[in-house]
Amino acid sequence: MSGHPAPDPQELLAVAEEVAAAAGELVLTGRPDRVEVAATKSSPTDVVTAMDHASERLVAERLAVLRPDDGFLGEEGGHRPGTSGLTWVVDPIDGTVNYLYGLRSWSVSVAVVSDEVHGAGRPDPATWTVLAGAVRDPSVDETWTAVRGGGARVRRGGSPARPLRCPEGPELGATLLATGFGYDPQRRAEQAAVLARLMPRVRDLRRIGTASLDLCAVAAGRVDAYYELGLNPWDFAAGWLVAREAGAVVTDFTGGPAGTHGLLAAGPRLHPVLQRALAG
Ligand code: IPD
Ligand code: CA
């Protein structure tokens, strides 16, 4: 981040929490009894609702006031390059299909990353540094937060924030595994084949439907591990930091940096075991 003054990570976190909370409130209280699909994206199963757009608009507008020099990258198309070297990476509703059906697992995910972005380019998970992140889960009034080098926390309701420590992880046969599926049918078929190999070897599987909350669940030991192929940067930026700062190991399937090509999060003892199991 040469040439730019070092940002205060705690100040960045406060902004992330503020905008995630405001958007979460809008999405929760503004949910109509029957949510309509506003459009489809990469495939007929990849849906977007009016609320995804409203939430992204709210976050983008607030950040433009609070952090006018920073860039913005949102799932629903919002992209504004900045001049500070920082970019806000936002999923305005992570878990849109759950939201559509009235299931309670969805979040607003807000992260701020530093990366040398040129022109109209986007920050890249292969080169960025995630500085702070907040994952707001309004259905259960939980906020998951992390600051780079400053640990991860969860706060429920008005209680004080509790530090997170990811457990080491059990053996494979006692592992509660989480995963997710992309929207592309071909990719789903491949993901199902991998899962068919793993299922007889683990305790059980959860498909929560919200990548950011899967990562937070690993951080808190609510599941033992989470893996997915094909995530977008906004799905994992904030949750990645929460899991990492809680002590989870988060890599791709071969131990390199996590990204769209693969993400595996687990406690330090379980991670290499799962890495081998995923390899075949
Ligand atoms: C999706 C969810 C889901 C994961 C998909 C993501 P969206 O995000 O996080 O759990 O399996 O890969 O695309 O579309 O609800 O924002
Ligand atoms: Ca989304």
Side-chain angles (χ1 to χ4, degrees):
M1 233 188 330
S2 50
H4 302 294
D8 177 347
Q10 292 296 342
E11 271 176 35
L12 295 173
L13 178 63
V15 172
E17 278 196 72
E18 180 184 331
V19 297
E25 186 65 16
L26 171 81
V27 177
L28 183 72
T29 57
R31 187 180 187 281
D33 285 343
R34 201 185 151 82
V35 178
E36 301 288 343
V37 172
T40 58
K41 297 188 286 186
S42 60
S43 83
T45 51
D46 186 3
V47 296
V48 61
T49 71
M51 205 46 105
D52 293 79
H53 288 294
S55 174
E56 181 159 317
R57 225 173 11 251
L58 182 152
V59 174
E61 283 171 8
R62 294 231 176 160
L63 288 174
V65 173
L66 294 168
R67 303 280 315 174
D69 298 335
D70 299 347
F72 178 84
L73 177 65
E75 174 169 16
E76 306 312 337
H79 179 222
R80 179 172 53 86
T83 55
S84 65
L86 303 187
T87 304
W88 295 83
V89 181
V90 174
D91 193 337
I93 303 181
D94 186 23
T96 297
V97 174
N98 286 343
Y99 185 72
L100 181 68
Y101 280 79
L103 297 172
R104 287 156 54 93
S105 172
W106 54 269
S107 78
V108 177
S109 174
V110 177
V112 58
V113 308
S114 76
D115 200 2
E116 285 305 325
V117 179
H118 302 287
R122 296 166 168 224
D124 180 350
T127 52
W128 77 25
T129 304
V130 187
L131 299 177
V135 178
R136 173 68 184 155
D137 180 349
S139 307
V140 293
D141 197 359
E142 278 183 338
T143 306
W144 305 81
T145 58
V147 164
R148 182 169 187 261
R153 293 180 171 69
V154 61
R155 194 178 55 245
R156 186 166 207 161
S159 314
R162 184 167 61 78
L164 291 165
R165 190 74 220 146
C166 175
E168 289 281 319
E171 58 188 43
L172 189 60
T175 293
L176 183 60
L177 185 62
T179 192
F181 305 96
Y183 296 111
D184 173 59
Q186 172 67 35
R187 177 169 282 170
R188 278 190 178 179
E190 290 160 19
Q191 290 171 320
V194 173
L195 193 55
R197 274 197 289 106
L198 285 175
M199 272 310 280
R201 305 181 63 190
V202 297
R203 184 195 294 277
D204 206 346
L205 179 88
R206 294 292 178 268
R207 196 296 193 238
I208 292 169
T210 312
S212 55
L213 293 178
D214 284 300
L215 284 159
C216 295
V218 172
R222 290 182 185 177
V223 297
D224 296 309
Y226 163 65
Y227 78 93
E228 188 164 343
L229 170 72
L231 289 171
N232 287 301
W234 40 79
D235 295 321
F236 65 82
W240 177 93
L241 190 65
V242 172
R244 278 290 294 262
E245 287 293 330
V249 180
V250 191
T251 67
D252 67 7
F253 300 152
T254 62
T260 299
H261 60 290
L263 183 149
L264 167 62
R269 190 171 51 203
L270 176 61
H271 188 279
V273 178
L274 258 175
Q275 203 179 303
R276 280 195 296 278
L278 277 166

